[in-house]
Amino acid sequence: MDELQYQFELLSAMDQKLSVDEKMFQMLCNTSSSAFLYCSFEDDIIRTFGNWKLFFPIEIQEQKDIKQLYDCIEDKYILKLKELLFLEKKSRRNESAVVRMKEKNLWVKCETVVTYNEKKEPKEKVIRFQNITKLKNQHEELTYMAYYDIMTGLYNRNYFVRLLGDFVRKAEEERKCVAVMFIDIDDFRKINDGFSIVTGDEIIQQFGQFLNSFSSSHVIVSHFNSDIYCIAVYDPCGSRSVEHIYRMIRERLRWPFSLSNALDLSITVSMGVAEYPEATKTTLELINCAEIVMFRSKAMGKNSIQYFNEPMVDDFRQNISIENKLKEAIFDRSFMMYFQPQYNAKDRGLRGVEALIRWRDKDGNMISPSVFIPIAEKNGSIVPIGEWVIEESVRTFAEWKKKYQHKLILSLNISSIQYKRSDFVSKLIKTLQRYHVKPSEVELEITESVLIDDLKEITNKLIALRDYGIRISLDDFGTGYSSLSYLKGLPIDTLKIDKTFIDTVVSDKNSKIITESIIYMVKKLGFETVAEGVETKEQFEYLQSIECDNIQGYFMGRPMPPDKVEELLRQLPKSN
């Protein structure tokens, strides 16, 4: 009896333990956001647990009810679910699949776990249904961000490069070409500054939507950044040729974009085109070549298209190389000052010298100022270069004055960017005072380009300099469109006749008439004249005969380093 009582109590205890475990299991299932389908192959039992109603509006009580699940799933995922829910004993699969439900618009991950008996036959199977909608949406958002530009919906730069690479590889196999069109909106900064960034963004979006109309299996359209787009065309021909696309773009841009703020804005674009394999055989280089050509289009006046050619790209790369070398040269102060003498035409006496910057790079190559000065003006490095030129020229000139006591004039070329700086006048005056150089001994040369942007401001600065005693010379006279109008309002002392007239002054009747007229007019206005680029005896004698005041050019003296100028000064008689 005691043994029977013991067995009874043991079974009760075990039953109680099972009851607790079952309750715990039930609680876990009920609090889970997942649903579970349990199948026992040996006992032919099917049960559902967990948050089943979150996923399915049906009850599963036996195997035939499984078919009802398929009605809840979008058609294209039904086959996946059928394979996963295969419940026959021969199933040995531990798998997972992601399906989408019809009505509830849920993304559901289905995972299976199968247990086996000693004979390695399926014994039980559990299918877990997990709601991964939030995770799936986040993944899709990240995928979108990885491939697409948020502002325009076009492909972004990184994905474009990847797709272009596929085009290039395919073109290599099929012996086709791939064209890249690099497109930039002209003067886009003015839109942002003048109308607001929001307006600029809307222009970007609308133009991007228009470009997207060209998208196809052979045409990839992307938004690189800001106002730059890039289009790749596989085997361009017919309606997908570069010429056709450009024509369509020009046609669209004949009409303004209507914006949400009731504003109508028109734009133009500059475009550069490079093709594989003509330009290059690598993806990034192909984009780079198209971009370089686009910059050429900008330089040619904008609102145009330019096509790749080797010299154009070589020039651009040379400019980039020079720009990088310029930064080193400014840091190392590796420039040199040369000086070209100016002579009085009547008695050949030395009037003075024009300061000219020279630059020899680290490789020993002389780089012409006509090459590096425009680059320096474009990237802003002309400011420190110009300050060094003034400092070095005035310092050297002061030493010559102290040594040789000659009455000379130092002519300085000043960039328009320097003139625009608010501290230009004060800095120049302080430099002259520091080296004890008289203002009347310095002549600043200005060109028409200095005056174009802000005539009033520049004129006021020139008047201040003139009042201080500094001489003002108008350089390259006759080459601009409005030079005559400047003579009336500017504080000018000297006028330099441009070399283009002097080159043909002996042989060309028109050049003679123009040159004689300039000299006659300038004398009447009370200015001094300097003829530039005088290279022959015939030119000199003719200019002398028409009473040109001063001569500058190879005939009388080439640009020379400071030590050669000193040799020249030592030969001159000392001034009284």
Side-chain angles (χ1 to χ4, degrees):
M1 187 68 179
D2 291 340
E3 178 64 26
L4 183 62
Q5 181 68 30
Y6 171 76
Q7 291 293 335
F8 176 76
E9 290 176 355
L10 181 62
L11 287 171
S12 296
M14 292 175 65
D15 182 62
Q16 187 177 5
K17 185 176 185 301
L18 286 171
S19 178
V20 171
D21 289 346
E22 185 178 353
K23 285 180 180 179
M24 184 170 62
F25 168 73
Q26 192 65 45
M27 286 177 67
L28 288 171
C29 288
N30 290 339
T31 56
S32 172
S33 60
S34 300
F36 301 89
L37 178 65
Y38 169 80
C39 173
S40 171
F41 298 129
E42 294 179 344
D43 300 328
D44 199 22
I45 296 173
I46 291 182
R47 294 285 185 271
T48 59
F49 303 94
N51 208 338
W52 184 262
K53 290 185 179 180
L54 172 66
F55 297 89
F56 305 105
I58 58 174
E59 294 291 336
I60 304 293
Q61 295 181 341
E62 50 187 299
Q63 188 165 336
K64 67 178 183 178
D65 297 332
I66 294 290
K67 294 180 181 179
Q68 298 179 55
L69 292 178
Y70 305 145
D71 296 330
C72 304
I73 304 299
E74 289 187 0
D75 293 344
K76 65 179 180 178
Y77 299 106
I78 290 176
L79 183 59
K80 284 186 178 181
L81 189 62
K82 279 184 177 181
E83 292 176 352
L84 201 70
L85 296 179
F86 185 70
L87 300 179
E88 282 75 2
K89 288 187 178 181
K90 63 181 181 180
S91 172
R92 294 178 177 273
R93 299 179 179 178
N94 287 6
E95 296 177 338
S96 66
V98 175
V99 299
R100 189 169 187 173
M101 303 190 66
K102 283 181 180 176
E103 296 182 2
K104 296 188 177 183
N105 199 27
L106 297 179
W107 284 98
V108 180
K109 185 178 182 181
C110 310
E111 297 176 290
T112 67
V113 176
V114 181
T115 62
Y116 302 91
N117 59 23
E118 294 176 354
K119 297 180 180 180
K120 297 186 179 180
E121 295 173 338
K123 179 181 177 183
E124 300 170 300
K125 188 171 189 176
V126 175
I127 298 97
R128 178 192 183 192
F129 299 91
Q130 183 184 9
N131 183 358
I132 61 165
T133 304
K134 184 177 180 181
L135 186 65
K136 183 75 172 176
N137 289 341
Q138 289 175 341
H139 175 73
E140 288 182 350
E141 185 177 344
L142 289 172
T143 301
Y144 183 87
M145 290 173 65
Y147 295 155
Y148 295 91
D149 170 64
I150 295 174
M151 183 182 293
T152 62
L154 301 173
Y155 290 130
N156 61 25
R157 175 168 50 189
N158 291 339
Y159 196 50
F160 175 83
V161 172
R162 176 176 164 183
L163 294 177
L164 177 60
D166 294 339
F167 269 11
V168 168
R169 284 187 288 274
K170 183 180 177 184
E172 185 178 11
E173 294 172 1
E174 298 181 356
R175 296 180 180 274
K176 301 287 186 181
C177 73
V178 178
V180 170
M181 306 168 68
F182 204 91
I183 306 168
D184 182 70
I185 298 177
D186 296 327
D187 301 316
F188 183 71
R189 185 175 177 180
K190 291 181 180 178
I191 296 176
N192 277 343
D193 293 345
F195 298 100
S196 81
I197 294 175
V198 174
T199 300
D201 287 350
E202 194 168 355
I203 288 288
I204 292 294
Q205 290 165 350
Q206 289 199 29
F207 186 52
Q209 288 168 7
F210 166 72
L211 292 180
N212 197 34
S213 64
F214 298 112
S215 294
S216 69
S217 59
H218 283 70
V219 181
I220 310 166
V221 182
S222 71
H223 178 222
F224 263 37
N225 57 51
S226 184
D227 59 329
I228 295 174
Y229 306 82
C230 210
I231 298 177
V233 186
Y234 183 83
D235 188 22
C237 59
S239 62
R240 64 172 185 267
S241 69
V242 170
E243 292 75 17
H244 176 77
I245 293 174
Y246 179 63
R247 215 165 32 243
M248 296 291 288
I249 292 173
R250 289 292 297 267
E251 182 65 27
R252 170 61 187 87
L253 297 186
R254 288 177 58 194
W255 312 103
F257 290 94
S258 297
L259 308 180
S260 58
N261 59 2
L263 190 68
D264 287 343
L265 273 183
S266 296
I267 62 170
T268 61
V269 298
S270 297
M271 188 182 304
V273 181
E275 288 190 353
Y276 165 91
E278 178 196 5
T280 181
K281 294 186 178 181
T282 64
T283 304
L284 293 178
E285 273 294 302
L286 189 58
I287 296 172
N288 187 42
C289 285
E291 183 180 16
I292 291 171
V293 178
M294 183 276 294
F295 285 129
R296 176 64 174 173
S297 176
K298 290 276 190 188
M300 295 291 288
K302 306 175 185 178
N303 191 24
S304 64
I305 185 171
Q306 292 289 324
Y307 293 86
F308 169 88
N309 65 67
E310 196 68 43
M312 181 192 301
V313 175
D314 288 345
D315 288 346
F316 182 86
R317 287 175 175 156
Q318 182 185 15
N319 287 347
I320 294 296
S321 174
I322 291 172
E323 189 170 353
N324 291 331
K325 289 179 179 179
L326 260 180
K327 295 174 184 176
E328 296 179 9
I330 293 169
F331 183 80
D332 298 337
R333 298 289 178 93
S334 56
F335 299 104
M336 303 172 288
M337 289 309 304
Y338 272 50
F339 300 87
Q340 185 170 28
Q342 297 173 341
Y343 290 91
N344 185 285
K346 194 172 185 179
D347 60 11
R348 299 198 181 195
L350 184 64
R351 174 185 187 261
V353 291
E354 178 181 357
L356 302 168
I357 189 171
R358 294 292 182 263
W359 175 31
R360 189 187 301 276
D361 67 14
K362 288 186 176 180
D363 299 325
N365 302 313
M366 290 295 291
I367 300 176
S368 170
S370 64
V371 173
F372 73 82
I373 292 296
I375 295 173
E377 288 182 328
K378 187 176 180 181
N379 65 20
S381 61
I382 191 65
V383 173
I385 291 174
E387 290 176 350
W388 180 84
V389 166
I390 292 174
E391 182 80 18
E392 186 67 13
S393 301
V394 171
R395 182 192 64 79
T396 304
F397 184 77
E399 289 180 359
W400 292 339
K401 289 288 295 178
K402 188 177 180 180
K403 252 178 160 179
Y404 302 104
Q405 303 294 316
H406 293 304
K407 289 183 180 180
L408 299 172
I409 293 173
L410 173 65
S411 294
L412 296 171
N413 290 282
I414 307 296
S415 164
S416 61
I417 296 173
Q418 286 177 272
Y419 273 112
K420 291 174 186 176
R421 293 181 66 86
S422 59
D423 59 352
F424 169 70
V425 173
S426 60
K427 276 191 171 183
L428 177 60
I429 291 173
K430 286 178 182 177
T431 303
L432 298 183
Q433 291 173 343
R434 185 164 56 252
Y435 292 106
H436 307 291
V437 172
K438 296 176 183 178
S440 59
E441 296 173 328
V442 175
E443 185 172 75
L444 297 187
E445 298 192 5
I446 61 170
T447 60
E448 185 177 334
S449 63
V450 174
L451 307 167
I452 288 174
D453 291 338
D454 195 337
L455 178 60
K456 185 177 180 181
E457 181 186 351
I458 298 299
T459 301
N460 289 337
K461 288 182 178 179
L462 294 178
I463 291 172
L465 292 167
R466 178 82 178 286
D467 289 345
Y468 183 68
I470 294 173
R471 298 169 60 89
I472 306 297
S473 172
L474 184 59
D475 197 11
D476 300 332
F477 185 81
T479 58
Y481 296 103
S482 321
S483 295
L484 287 173
S485 66
Y486 295 138
L487 298 181
K488 184 172 63 175
L490 289 176
I492 298 172
D493 297 282
T494 305
L495 189 143
K496 298 187 78 170
I497 304 170
D498 190 70
K499 183 180 185 300
T500 54
F501 293 108
I502 306 304
D503 286 341
T504 56
V505 75
V506 175
S507 59
D508 182 65
K509 182 180 178 182
N510 291 332
S511 295
K512 281 186 176 183
I513 293 172
I514 293 172
T515 304
E516 289 176 12
S517 300
I518 290 173
I519 292 174
Y520 176 79
M521 174 185 63
V522 168
K523 282 189 175 294
K524 286 291 183 181
L525 290 170
F527 304 151
E528 192 176 357
T529 53
V530 176
E532 295 183 285
V534 180
E535 298 181 353
T536 67
K537 181 181 179 182
E538 290 77 16
Q539 291 171 348
F540 173 77
E541 289 177 346
Y542 171 74
L543 291 166
Q544 196 177 40
S545 70
I546 60 174
E547 299 184 355
C548 178
D549 296 315
N550 303 293
I551 300 297
Q552 179 178 343
Y554 285 5
F555 177 68
M556 296 295 289
R558 292 172 175 268
M560 58 188 72
D563 59 326
K564 295 296 182 182
V565 176
E566 289 207 48
E567 288 181 13
L568 182 65
L569 294 175
R570 280 195 290 268
Q571 297 171 12
L572 297 177
K574 289 190 177 181
S575 303
N576 296 325

